[in-house]
Amino acid sequence: MTEKACKKCNRIVEGDVCPICGDSSLSEEWRGYVIIIDPETSQIAEKMGVETSGRYALRAK
Ligand SMILES: [Zn+2]
């Protein structure tokens, strides 16, 4: 299955709808990713506005 990235929150999604936003505007063109394990203590998560653990694309078109 092709992994896509949510254009809104950059979440990497295996499916057609972002589980975070409930949005279906996903991009197949994304670069790199970070794994957020503990959003409450992660500076990356804070910068990206991420509140849920998981994988997030660094850039999504
Ligand atoms: Zn999203």
Side-chain angles (χ1 to χ4, degrees), residues 4-58:
K4 300 171 188 174
C6 175
K7 290 181 182 177
K8 285 188 177 174
C9 68
N10 283 18
R11 172 90 182 193
I12 293 173
V13 179
E14 294 175 20
D16 294 325
V17 179
C18 174
I20 310 296
C21 309
D23 203 289
S24 59
S25 60
L26 309 176
S27 172
E28 290 183 34
E29 290 187 48
W30 53 272
R31 296 274 183 277
Y33 66 85
V34 290
I35 299 173
I36 307 292
I37 295 166
D38 189 347
E40 289 183 13
T41 60
S42 168
Q43 291 185 343
I44 302 168
E46 194 179 332
K47 269 189 187 174
M48 295 176 72
V50 166
E51 294 175 353
T52 308
S53 61
R55 290 194 299 153
Y56 292 85
L58 292 176

